[in-house]
Amino acid sequence: MVANWKMYVDTPLAAKAWAKTLRTKMRSLSFVEVAIAPSFVLLPHVVDALNRSTIKVGAQAVSSNHISAHTGEVSARMLKNVGASFVIVGHSERRALGETNEMVHAQILEADAAKLGIVLCVGEKERDAGGEHFAIIHEQLTSALAGLSPKSISKLVVAYEPVWAIGKTAADAMKPQDIQEVIIFIKKTLTGLFEPSAVKKITLLYGGSVEEANAAAILKEGIVGGFLVGHASANIENFLPILKACK
Ligand code: PGA
């Protein structure tokens, strides 16, 4: 379960309180693997609060570059140096700012070289009856993962996030049956790219308006391995029931 805080959690105090509450609650939630993606500025605070815990901490984005002259950018190595263990790449809110498939691919290579885990987001902006969304997802996957070693592939997490279902309520989220269809398609696409033994190890998540109300049903029928949770992770009290749904 990945908590994508976006800009919701916005002070060191709030970030540390959130992390410490989760740390305490994890004693009864050992059946679920949890990761938090705070903003860059809060990352060291959360790493510090979760020192020696099983909860992973990562970033929401990373630069496509590693050389020095990129004002405002944060490299994969910099993330690693402050204790991040993974990074989200290809999130639709970053793609909407102009990040292309080529940039996502470059970011993945940078993250991989810095030994960061990768959570790759794919998903269509809208749906049409012609099934164009499958071609979009196929292109996002194949372009992003080109040239990645089998060892890195086996540690990969792919999050399917249909853009039209993000930031709404459980009632507007994608239905479990429809999620299942795309998850099968993603598995097939990955199997066309890599060895089946490596593909088996890839974790597939769903993201887009996951809340307590729809979490259990999507886990059960959507055949996903977990969630990338946005707004429902802003408040730890809304996130905990989603973790409990894993049971
Ligand atoms: P949401 O966001 O849960 O608020 O829909 C998910 C995401 O964008 O990762």
Side-chain angles (χ1 to χ4, degrees):
M1 294 287 158
V2 185
N4 176 12
W5 281 359
K6 308 192 181 190
M7 299 204 310
Y8 292 119
V9 180
D10 59 0
T11 66
L13 201 65
K16 281 189 270 190
W18 197 112
K20 283 184 180 159
T21 305
L22 178 65
R23 187 176 190 151
T24 310
K25 300 283 181 186
M26 281 309 285
R27 288 185 202 128
S28 57
L29 292 167
S30 54
F31 50 86
V32 52
E33 195 180 336
V34 186
I36 312 174
S39 68
F40 290 138
V41 290
L42 297 177
L43 214 155
H45 296 282
V46 180
V47 167
D48 192 39
L50 295 175
N51 183 23
R52 286 199 296 267
S53 96
T54 56
I55 304 160
K56 295 193 172 75
V57 187
Q60 298 173 14
V62 65
S63 176
S64 327
N65 300 289
H66 58 267
I67 45 173
S68 317
H70 289 281
T71 304
E73 289 281 87
V74 176
S75 72
R77 203 154 21 128
M78 289 159 78
L79 293 175
K80 188 79 181 175
N81 287 345
V82 294
S85 64
F86 73 95
V87 64
I88 298 172
V89 294
H91 192 282
S92 59
E93 286 155 10
R94 307 285 317 164
R95 292 182 193 264
L97 291 174
E99 289 189 5
T100 60
N101 281 340
E102 290 70 30
M103 288 163 80
V104 171
H105 179 226
Q107 290 162 8
I108 286 183
L109 297 184
E110 289 295 324
D112 195 38
K115 298 195 167 42
L116 287 172
I118 295 156
V119 179
L120 167 64
C121 299
V122 297
E124 75 281 3
K125 277 196 205 127
E126 54 201 7
R127 290 212 146 191
D128 62 35
E132 179 63 17
H133 51 279
F134 286 118
I136 290 165
I137 295 165
H138 189 276
E139 176 58 24
Q140 288 175 337
L141 285 169
T142 48
S143 61
L145 300 173
L148 215 56
S149 71
K151 196 166 160 226
S152 306
I153 291 296
S154 63
K155 289 184 301 188
L156 180 73
V157 174
V158 175
Y160 169 55
E161 294 211 312
V163 183
W164 51 269
I166 291 178
K168 299 187 175 156
T169 64
D172 303 305
M174 201 169 175
K175 300 292 166 261
Q177 275 307 111
D178 298 330
I179 295 171
Q180 188 186 93
E181 183 186 47
V182 181
I183 293 295
I184 291 169
F185 175 78
I186 290 174
K187 277 190 186 162
K188 263 196 192 153
T189 305
L190 293 170
T191 309
L193 297 173
F194 308 107
E195 290 295 319
S197 56
V199 174
K200 260 194 200 152
K201 292 184 188 150
I202 300 176
T203 304
L204 298 180
L205 308 180
Y206 167 78
S209 303
V210 173
E211 296 180 346
E212 179 182 5
N214 58 357
I218 299 177
L219 280 174
K220 221 184 273 173
E221 299 162 47
I223 59 161
V224 291
F227 298 130
L228 183 53
V229 183
H231 66 271
S233 75
N235 184 329
I236 182 79
E237 296 309 325
N238 295 330
F239 188 61
L240 289 172
I242 298 174
L243 302 183
K244 287 178 192 153
C246 296
K247 203 160 195 179

